[in-house]
Amino acid sequence: MNRSLVFFGLMGLPLLVACAATPPRAEAVPVAVDSRPLAQPSTVAAKPVVTTASIPPAAAPVAPLPAKLPGETHPGQFAFARELSARLGAARPDRSEAAVNAILAGATYQQSIIDAITRPAEGKPWSAYRPIFINDARIDGGIAFLRENRALLDEVSSRYGVPSEIIVAIIGVETSYGRITGNYRVLDALATLAFHYPKRAPFFRGELAQLLSLPADMFPQPLEALKGSYAGAMGWGQFMPTSFANWAVDHDADGDIDLWASKPDIFASIARYFIDHGWQSNAPVVHRARADGGARAYVAPGLEPSLDVRRLRELGYRTEAALDDNLAASLITLAGSEGPEYWMTHQNFFVISRYNRSPMYSLAVYQLAERIRAGAGGA
């Protein structure tokens, strides 16, 4: 029997997921993990949100901890379990305080996770970052992937208004077209970062809480068996648990949301993420700009367009393309291999950045998408 399962994520955002599973699952309870405003879908009215924002920060040690032995606990685990259980309440007897503690007792601290998160690729200059993703192997792989999956991609693109090549480029940048989705247990990754990485512990405690709040039978595997990146991101599109709760889609209507093996679910979930964050169909993403001799230095307050093309021209920045003076725009300056590169960015560039806040990431996705689109042609 078909039914709809309503999820509530960050800031009370509703998400409707069409499912065909019986018997009914428990309702997914959302967890707010940060305060960034997100797009409000128009299909369902928002309801009150259950939040773990008040979970007290764990007192993490400065020195790395040794690998955890069976039965040991993470610092801050008991307070976390008590708070999460209280907020989920009687509707989730499988998430009692004792049950949450038992799950966390099975998580293992991984020093390699701490090592990986302290040296992200985004720390490189654009001249070194770009070749990681804009290279023959990644481009040729994307062209082949788009051609192989064109019918399904075009169907998803038509439904959501997100170009097929953008969906493919996200998968290409994130997981090399599904080949590298991560070998860490998601539970280990989130527990390690939630309790042993003070710099971002509140964020990862929120993501851990969200993972434990999702219905256990939503995933194609038991929660304890889920594999992902060192940061706990899952599947071909590398969705964090909060993104899973808000935007993952059971597009093939088989009762599971499988971001590891179901291409319909993978493609539609990425497209849903983009459209709910404000993607504009048939709108520009970014244009290469040049600085006039008297151009004034400009550092944008963020990646969301805060000026327009006219104002950037007044500041001395121009593009080869003829653009509407009133088009919302911003400017980024990157360290290219031949000196500073100026890029005039627009709303869709900002939307790509909701996947990863680095402007280099957004530009790499766009440039890879353009190369894939050109290479795939209409075949």
Side-chain angles (χ1 to χ4, degrees), residues 274-289:
F274 270 60
I275 205 68
D276 279 4
H277 281 81
W279 181 268
Q280 300 173 345
S281 297
N282 302 313
V285 176
V286 63
H287 292 91
R288 183 71 181 264

Side-chain angles (χ1 to χ4, degrees), residues 344-361:
M344 197 175 292
T345 67
H346 310 290
Q347 170 64 17
N348 283 345
F349 187 90
F350 173 72
V351 172
I352 297 174
S353 78
R354 300 307 84 194
Y355 227 97
N356 181 309
R357 268 52 180 176
S358 168
M360 295 188 296
Y361 176 92

Side-chain angles (χ1 to χ4, degrees), residues 93-114:
D94 60 328
R95 293 295 182 260
S96 66
E97 182 176 350
V100 173
N101 274 316
I103 292 171
L104 294 180
T108 301
Y109 172 84
Q110 301 277 2
Q111 179 59 37
S112 58
I113 289 172
I114 302 297

Side-chain angles (χ1 to χ4, degrees), residues 137-138 141-142 145 171-172 175-183 236:
R138 197 90 58 158
F145 187 92
I171 298 171
T175 60
S176 289
Y177 311 108
R179 290 192 296 272
I180 306 171
T181 58
N183 291 316
W236 288 23

Side-chain angles (χ1 to χ4, degrees), residues 55 62 76 166 248 293:
I55 294 177
V62 175
I166 290 289

Side-chain angles (χ1 to χ4, degrees), residues 83-303:
E83 179 71 14
L84 179 60
S85 174
R87 290 184 175 277
L88 294 180
R92 292 296 303 271
D94 60 328
R95 293 295 182 260
S96 66
E97 182 176 350
V100 173
N101 274 316
I103 292 171
L104 294 180
T108 301
Y109 172 84
Q110 301 277 2
Q111 179 59 37
S112 58
I113 289 172
I114 302 297
D115 295 341
I117 202 168
T118 57
R119 54 172 189 269
E122 285 74 21
K124 301 176 183 291
W126 173 239
S127 58
Y129 183 91
R130 184 181 186 275
I132 297 173
F133 303 107
I134 312 302
N135 55 59
D136 289 344
R138 197 90 58 158
I139 294 165
D140 292 344
I143 292 169
F145 187 92
L146 193 153
R147 286 175 171 166
E148 177 185 348
N149 298 283
R150 183 177 290 279
L152 176 58
L153 283 162
D154 286 352
E155 184 263 312
V156 170
S157 177
S158 177
R159 176 171 179 177
Y160 288 95
V162 179
S164 296
E165 64 269 17
I166 290 289
I167 298 172
V168 172
I170 286 288
I171 298 171
V173 168
E174 291 290 336
T175 60
S176 289
Y177 311 108
R179 290 192 296 272
I180 306 171
T181 58
N183 291 316
Y184 289 102
R185 286 202 311 159
V186 173
L187 182 61
D188 290 345
L190 293 179
T192 294
L193 295 169
F195 302 116
H196 303 292
Y197 187 55
K199 183 177 180 180
R200 296 194 65 194
F203 170 79
F204 285 106
R205 279 198 298 279
E207 292 295 338
L208 178 61
Q210 183 69 82
L211 178 73
L212 298 178
S213 300
L214 292 169
D217 63 345
M218 174 180 291
F219 299 108
Q221 304 171 45
L223 181 147
E224 292 83 358
L226 296 176
K227 294 289 187 70
S229 74
Y230 65 80
M234 298 178 282
W236 288 23
Q238 294 289 275
F239 271 35
M240 295 297 288
T242 297
S243 295
F244 200 106
N246 280 282
W247 297 288
V249 177
D250 180 18
H251 192 74
D252 58 15
D254 67 350
D256 290 326
I257 299 177
D258 189 346
L259 302 187
W260 292 263
S262 170
K263 289 180 181 178
D265 292 2
I266 294 163
F267 298 166
S269 296
I270 293 170
R272 177 68 186 270
Y273 186 96
F274 270 60
I275 205 68
D276 279 4
H277 281 81
W279 181 268
Q280 300 173 345
S281 297
N282 302 313
V285 176
V286 63
H287 292 91
R288 183 71 181 264
R290 69 177 187 275
D292 293 343
R296 294 164 56 186
Y298 175 72
V299 178
L303 290 177

